Amino acid sequence: MNIIVTGASRGIGYDTVLEFSKNNKNKIIAISRDMARLEELKQRCNENYGNEIHVISHDITDDQNKLKNELKDYENIDILINNAGLLINKPFLDLSIEDWQETFNVNLFGVVKIIQCVFDKIVKSKYAHIVNIGSMGGISIAQKFEGLSAYSGSKSALANLTECLAEEFKDYKVSINCLCLGAVDTEMLRLAFPECKDSFQSVDIAKFICDFSFNYARLFNGKIIPVSSTTP
Ligand SMILES: NC(=O)c1ccc[n+]([C@@H]2O[C@H](COP(=O)([O-])OP(=O)(O)OC[C@H]3O[C@@H](n4cnc5c(N)ncnc54)[C@H](OP(=O)(O)O)[C@@H]3O)[C@@H](O)[C@H]2O)c1
């Protein structure tokens, strides 16, 4: 399988790449802005599992031409994990319009851009599964928390986009789902909830993301799936 994971330099994305790389048939394309961390991940995948991953330094909010060029040798993409995300923790009254724009640029428009950039390769896959990494904060009935209005709003829009695209893509036989994660022990969680002790480990969530994206493309489509056992 040819698999793209965005936000691969740390946290959930990093562990998801490691998990995918255990299977030597997987050709993994790992994207983030931090080439040094990506190179370290590449070395680890190689040393631990003999898997030579392809790392790309790319800001998902940028123009996609450079990325398109980097991906020109891939005939098809089987799985796209839209994991890159940004969280700004500030009370609503302190959030600037720039904060809102930056958050939506990464969490929503960045995803839009990547999907548009690689869609022609996804439709060529018999498997064709796009997995958006959302948040419990983006689910309308879930509990909300102070300081996260821009983040939760952007993840809510991402969940809605997932449902819309499932409808648009159904004739292309492309599945798209949104996994709405609860607390996972990463840098982002420490920014949002410094006191939170009760969280998933990112290696466990990474296993779930790999299993879901591999095995459930035909059982789920257009679904907003909560992945949480605690609040937050
Ligand atoms: N941790 C949680 O509790 C939790 C809960 C719910 C949902 N989530 C979601 O899970 C995903 C991963 O979160 P995490 O906790 O692993 O976060 P993290 O540790 O902060 O990692 C975020 C990743 O996104 C990448 N990224 C951010 N902006 C980017 C940009 N403009 N272009 C390319 N890459 C960018 C970062 O890479 P660079 O900085 O190297 O570019 C990094 O690899 C996010 O979508 C997050 O919203 C997390």
Side-chain angles (χ1 to χ4, degrees), residues 4 11 31 67 73 78 101 108 125 143-144 155 160 200:
I4 295 180
I31 295 173
L67 181 62
D73 294 335
D78 301 292
Q101 280 165 341
L108 185 68
S125 162
Q143 188 178 341
K144 300 296 176 291
K155 291 294 187 179
N160 193 285
F200 291 123

Side-chain angles (χ1 to χ4, degrees), residues 7 9-10 12 32-34 59-60 83 151 155 182 184 186:
S9 60
R10 59 178 188 266
I12 296 163
S32 96
R33 295 164 299 183
D34 188 334
D59 183 328
I60 62 163
N83 167 78
Y151 175 75
K155 291 294 187 179
V184 186
T186 67

